[in-house]
């Protein structure tokens, strides 16, 4: 059981392994530390030949976000972000901003988007972010609804906690991704896991 909960949130492990009464309010990513999870890479110094992927959150009620990541060895590095929080904006305007300010858009092998954003993905293809075969829906696997959100949180938490043989976390974020870091440090659980 200890092995099973090793890469889960420490609060959940205490509850499941030791029967402690633990609430679910508070930070979602308690294990994130900007010093420990600081990536040496950013959009300007990714090693040659390392593929870059993008993740898109259409931000229906939240910001519209694209993050770019690459995998160097066993470690995932989030190296750049496009973050827009403002009045509703056309997808073509987002694409223009990305093409102007984010040199990785040309180097991006694929973009993955939230499965609920099929229409948004179609609009991004029309606006010229990438071809249709390079903007793909993230798989939900067997999880749906709140379980899908929980599965994504568990995955990120496990990458924050797991380490390479040299002791580096498997997920690191460039300090230039200030909005992502801000969101990770402030994202709180608003509802209990019923």
């Amino acid at each position: 059981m200890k092995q099973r909960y090793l890469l889960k949130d420490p609060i959940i492990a205490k509850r499941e392994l030791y029967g402690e009464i633990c609430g679910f309010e508070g930070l979602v990513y308690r294990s994130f530390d900007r010093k420990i999870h600081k990536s040496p890479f950013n959009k300007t110094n990714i090693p040659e030949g390392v593929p870059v992927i993008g993740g898109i959150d259409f931000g229906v009620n939240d910001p519209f976000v694209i993050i770019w990541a690459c995998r160097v060895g066993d470690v995932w590095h989030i190296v750049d972000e496009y973050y827009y929080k403002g009045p509703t904006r056309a997808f073509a305007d987002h694409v223009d901003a990305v093409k102007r300010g984010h040199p990785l858009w040309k180097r991006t092998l694929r973009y993955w988007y939230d499965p609920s954003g099929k229409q948004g993905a179609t609009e991004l293809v029309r606006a010229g972010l990438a071809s249709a075969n390079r903007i793909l829906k993230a798989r939900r696997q067997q999880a749906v609804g709140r379980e899908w959100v929980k599965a994504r949180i568990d995955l990120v938490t496990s990458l924050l906690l797991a380490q390479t043989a040299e002791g580096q976390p498997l997920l690191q974020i460039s300090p230039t991704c200030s909005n992502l870091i801000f969101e990770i440090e402030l994202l709180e659980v608003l509802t209990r896991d019923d």
Side-chain angles (χ1 to χ4, degrees), residues 58-163:
F58 294 102
V60 176
N61 296 315
D62 297 317
F64 179 97
V65 178
I66 301 176
I67 61 167
W68 286 271
C70 64
R71 187 173 176 181
V72 179
D74 292 330
V75 179
W76 281 100
H77 298 270
I78 298 177
V79 293
D80 198 16
E81 68 180 356
Y82 168 76
Y83 185 98
Y84 178 79
K85 188 173 187 171
T88 303
R89 191 179 217 190
F91 285 110
D93 293 336
H94 288 301
V95 171
D96 288 343
V98 166
K99 287 181 175 180
R100 279 193 317 271
H102 300 271
L104 296 176
W105 79 270
K106 282 185 179 179
R107 189 172 169 181
T108 304
L109 184 63
R110 286 193 176 82
Y111 289 92
W112 298 93
Y113 65 87
D114 185 315
S116 63
K118 178 68 174 160
Q119 180 62 38
T122 302
E123 293 297 322
L124 288 177
V125 169
R126 277 192 204 132
L129 181 68
S131 60
N133 64 344
R134 289 184 43 224
I135 298 182
L136 305 170
K137 176 175 73 170
R139 289 178 294 172
R140 285 185 186 251
Q141 297 172 352
Q142 281 102 23
V144 295
R146 286 177 54 184
E147 287 301 312
W148 165 243
V149 173
K150 183 181 176 307
R152 291 187 305 180
I153 290 170
D154 286 348
L155 176 63
V156 172
T157 299
S158 69
L159 290 172
L160 290 170
L161 292 170
Q163 297 180 351

Side-chain angles (χ1 to χ4, degrees), residues 15 30 45 109 145 155 170 174-175:
R15 184 192 74 193
R30 286 179 276 274
N45 67 351
L109 184 63
L155 176 63
L170 295 186
S174 170

